[in-house]
């Protein structure tokens, strides 16, 4: 249910299917729920390790051109 609600929330917030979302978090239950929610809406997921420094985070976001960042 939580993954379904998350997926609905992404669409209601205006996230398009043709764009990417990045998950910037430690791997945990919430990370997996967010991933499943994106998967249910055919949203491409980019994973960014939470241990990266600021410069690496900025570089990752610029290179992947994500429209949504999930923290």
């Amino acid at each position: 249910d939580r993954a379904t609600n998350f997926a609905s929330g992404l669409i209601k917030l205006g996230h398009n299917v043709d764009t990417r979302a990045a998950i910037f978090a430690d791997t945990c239950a919430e990370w997996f729920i967010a991933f499943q929610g994106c998967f249910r809406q055919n949203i491409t997921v980019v994973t960014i390790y939470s241990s990266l420094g600021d410069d690496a985070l900025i570089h990752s976001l610029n290179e992947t051109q994500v429209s949504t960042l999930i923290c």
Side-chain angles (χ1 to χ4, degrees):
D1 287 342
R2 291 175 71 189
T4 300
N5 291 338
F6 190 89
S8 296
L10 286 173
I11 299 306
K12 286 182 183 178
L13 288 172
H15 195 286
N16 296 324
V17 174
D18 296 333
T19 55
R20 296 179 188 95
I23 301 177
F24 177 66
D26 292 325
T27 304
C28 60
E30 290 79 14
W31 184 98
F32 194 68
I33 290 166
F35 176 79
Q36 285 291 332
C38 291
F39 185 74
R40 289 173 188 235
Q41 296 296 339
N42 295 323
I43 295 170
T44 302
V45 174
V46 175
T47 58
I48 301 175
Y49 296 108
S50 60
S51 60
L52 293 177
D54 292 343
D55 291 338
L57 171 61
I58 292 167
H59 177 74
S60 297
L61 293 173
N62 287 333
E63 285 295 314
T64 57
Q65 298 178 348
V66 296
S67 63
T68 302
L69 178 61
I70 302 165
C71 299

